[in-house]
Amino acid sequence: MTIVEIAALIVAVVFAVLVGYLVPVLMQVRKTVAESERLLAKMNTELPALVVELRAVSQNLNEVTSQAREGVEHAAVLLHAVGEVGESVRQVHNVVCGSGGTLLSNVASMVAGVKAATHVVRERMKHEGGAHNGG
């Protein structure tokens, strides 16, 4: 055998070994590509429905947020009105307490004046001739 024949034989053996390794790799690549095609087909059918549902959820969330904002605004108005009612009650209470204190003070001084006048009348009656029993 000549050197060219030996080289050709080595090249043929290397080519056979290379093909032996590449055949399983190419088969695995073919399976992977087929699986990727199935996945893409499935995504193409399911993704539009998922996007529609996502938009519906987003719209519902916006509506709930809007309703919550309106509820907070109504609550703020209600709390403001309750605060005003409380302030009015406090003012009425202060007026009643202030007037009541003045009223009580006037009644007390009037009672003291009546007692003093009664005492003066009794003293005069004692000095003028005794107590009268009204008859």
Side-chain angles (χ1 to χ4, degrees), residues 3-111:
I3 242 181
V4 174
E5 291 174 346
I6 294 175
L9 185 63
I10 291 175
V11 168
V13 169
V14 168
F15 184 73
V17 170
L18 184 63
V19 168
Y21 281 113
L22 284 178
V23 167
V25 170
L26 290 174
M27 289 176 67
Q28 185 62 40
V29 168
R30 192 177 109 191
K31 287 179 183 178
T32 304
V33 168
E35 187 65 32
S36 296
E37 286 176 355
R38 282 192 294 267
L39 177 65
L40 285 173
K42 188 175 183 180
M43 285 177 60
N44 283 337
T45 58
E46 292 181 5
L47 193 61
L50 183 63
V51 169
V52 168
E53 288 180 17
L54 186 60
R55 285 182 181 156
V57 166
S58 176
Q59 185 178 5
N60 288 342
L61 184 61
N62 288 339
E63 289 176 11
V64 166
T65 303
S66 176
Q67 290 173 356
R69 185 177 301 120
E70 290 174 5
V72 168
E73 289 172 359
H74 289 320
V77 168
L78 174 66
L79 291 175
H80 182 72
V82 168
E84 288 180 358
V85 168
E87 180 63 24
S88 298
V89 168
R90 186 185 65 79
Q91 290 174 355
V92 168
H93 174 73
N94 288 341
V95 166
V96 168
C97 285
S99 297
T102 305
L103 180 64
L104 288 175
S105 146
N106 289 342
V107 168
S109 65
M110 195 168 61
V111 168

